[in-house]
Amino acid sequence: MEEKEKLLCIIGPTAVGKTKLSLDLAKKFNGEIISGDSMQIYRGMDIGTAKITKEEMAGIPHHLIDIKDPKESFSVYEFQQLVRKKITDISNRNRLPIIVGGTGLYIQSVIYDYQFSNSGKDEKIRVQLEERSKLEGIEILYEQLKQVDPQAAEQIHPNNVRRVIRALEIYLSTGITMTEFKAKQQKTLLYDVALVGLTMEREKLYHRINERVNQMVQLGLIDEVKKLYDQGLKHAQATQAIGYKELFTAFDGEVSFEDAITTLKQNTRHFAKRQLTWFRNKMPVEWFDMTDPLDYEKNLQKISRYVAGMLNFKANT
């Protein structure tokens, strides 16, 4: 039997401390980091996606960052194919591939035997749905999705036009909901994988999220979003991300910047809650509580032992 490639995944909600841990584990295990964030692929979207800087990388190779223009779309299938190739490339150099991120579906598509097919694709239905979203508003379609597939609706943001339409397209063209379609997928792990999940006491996490948003604003988030706004990217896939769409409403004059930032904090907190629920329900994760910063070194040692044991991979001393 062919030996599986080894893979470490570090997952968890936004602002929980994945980046710091990933750097420390990459040093310990001769690792290279693959971004598992669906928005860090876009150039010029640095502050709002909490993208790691060149200085912070500390010489550790990072992959799948800044590979797309914000005008371009990006699919789960494309991510799956790119990441699987990177895993093989890194493994062939006797280094440990480490996926780090909070986009659960993207990571799940890589580590499981997740097949993408043309089933549920019907251009005629999709065009009709797109026309309806323009005429009636995406809210009407989202309500329809909640009726036919409440589980899918729970995982899709109401403003994510592309994914709402895709979920309805699958149902209307096949009679099978997106949730049922995903349930039929094979749940065979393709890699010898260690899934490390980071969690934190909720109030502490929410405080960190609020502080992170304040810091983003100080670093120039509003100017970053203004550049995208001026490029006419209001309806681009990239700008549906939290941190961008909220500020677009302020540039449209619909709300004040102060209110937009309050909404941004609220949406990020809700997103973190959804991320935790998703990971707990979908993957065999080993969870580590990062609430107390004084316990960080102890947690690092504990996580290192877990990874070494799971992957039979010797850590650097």
Side-chain angles (χ1 to χ4, degrees):
M1 189 173 147
E2 192 179 338
E3 193 177 337
K4 291 178 179 177
E5 291 166 326
K6 297 180 189 300
L7 175 66
L8 168 59
C9 294
I10 302 170
I11 60 176
T14 188
V16 79
K18 297 184 294 293
T19 300
K20 177 175 168 53
L21 179 72
S22 69
L23 292 167
D24 287 336
L25 290 178
K27 288 169 195 164
K28 277 183 176 287
F29 291 100
N30 290 325
E32 295 190 18
I33 293 169
I34 302 168
S35 171
D37 185 295
S38 62
M39 290 298 157
Q40 292 190 355
I41 58 158
Y42 290 111
R43 291 183 285 270
M45 293 175 62
D46 304 333
I47 300 167
T49 64
K51 197 180 289 176
I52 190 168
T53 65
K54 282 273 185 260
E55 295 73 35
E56 288 167 338
M57 287 179 190
I60 292 163
H62 281 65
H63 306 276
L64 262 70
I65 291 174
D66 292 340
I67 62 168
K68 288 272 184 180
D69 187 275
K71 293 184 180 74
E72 298 177 275
S73 62
F74 189 66
S75 68
V76 183
Y77 175 74
E78 198 175 344
F79 177 84
Q80 180 197 61
Q81 298 304 302
L82 287 170
V83 173
R84 286 182 178 171
K85 186 173 181 298
K86 287 288 180 195
I87 289 169
T88 298
D89 289 346
I90 295 166
S91 300
N92 286 344
R93 286 187 266 111
N94 295 316
R95 294 173 72 84
L96 179 65
I98 305 172
I99 300 179
V100 183
T103 309
L105 179 62
Y106 278 54
I107 296 169
Q108 188 185 39
S109 77
V110 170
I111 66 174
Y112 288 107
D113 187 15
Y114 203 101
Q115 305 290 327
F116 289 91
S117 71
N118 287 324
S119 62
K121 288 199 172 179
D122 187 317
E123 193 171 347
K124 192 175 171 187
I125 288 174
R126 187 168 65 254
V127 169
Q128 288 172 348
L129 290 168
E130 285 168 353
E131 286 301 312
R132 278 189 61 201
S133 78
K134 287 172 191 165
L135 290 169
E136 302 171 31
I138 190 60
E139 300 84 6
I140 299 293
L141 295 186
Y142 186 73
E143 284 303 316
Q144 184 180 347
L145 180 61
K146 273 166 59 174
Q147 294 298 316
V148 299
D149 190 356
Q151 284 175 279
E154 177 67 26
Q155 292 170 27
I156 298 172
H157 193 278
N159 291 343
N160 193 328
V161 179
R162 192 177 57 87
R163 287 192 64 203
V164 170
I165 287 175
R166 176 67 185 132
L168 282 173
E169 180 191 359
I170 288 172
Y171 175 71
L172 294 172
S173 62
T174 66
I176 297 170
T177 65
M178 181 183 261
T179 301
E180 290 167 334
F181 179 73
K182 285 179 184 171
K184 288 180 179 178
Q185 298 284 0
Q186 288 296 309
K187 284 300 179 80
T188 306
L189 280 167
L190 297 181
Y191 300 96
D192 186 2
V193 64
L195 277 164
V196 170
L198 304 187
T199 185
M200 186 173 279
E201 191 271 319
R202 186 168 290 179
E203 287 308 310
K204 174 82 181 285
L205 180 65
Y206 286 177
H207 176 73
R208 280 172 64 105
I209 287 169
N210 291 340
E211 286 303 302
R212 175 184 273 193
V213 172
N214 290 338
Q215 188 181 20
M216 285 175 172
V217 172
Q218 287 168 7
L219 289 170
L221 177 63
I222 291 171
D223 288 339
E224 179 173 281
V225 179
K226 180 71 161 62
K227 284 178 188 168
L228 298 167
Y229 182 83
D230 289 344
Q231 291 173 52
L233 293 175
K234 183 177 180 179
H235 298 293
Q237 178 187 340
T239 55
Q240 300 311 305
I242 293 172
Y244 296 86
K245 57 182 169 37
E246 293 87 358
L247 287 170
F248 268 52
T249 61
F251 285 117
D252 279 341
E254 294 172 20
V255 297
S256 67
F257 280 99
E258 189 180 349
D259 286 347
I261 289 159
T262 299
T263 303
L264 164 52
K265 289 177 180 176
Q266 187 179 52
N267 286 350
T268 308
R269 293 194 301 269
H270 289 165
F271 177 59
K273 188 179 175 185
R274 288 201 304 274
Q275 283 176 303
L276 276 168
T277 303
W278 201 97
F279 285 127
R280 286 191 172 125
N281 291 339
K282 301 286 183 181
M283 295 189 201
V285 179
E286 187 75 18
W287 290 99
F288 297 89
D289 192 306
M290 308 298 280
T291 301
D292 189 346
L294 297 176
D295 287 339
Y296 180 79
E297 286 303 322
K298 195 172 23 170
N299 276 329
L300 178 60
Q301 295 308 318
K302 200 190 300 180
I303 294 167
S304 298
R305 285 195 298 273
Y306 170 73
V307 171
M310 282 293 288
L311 300 182
N312 193 22
F313 208 98
K314 198 160 183 254
N316 298 324
T317 49

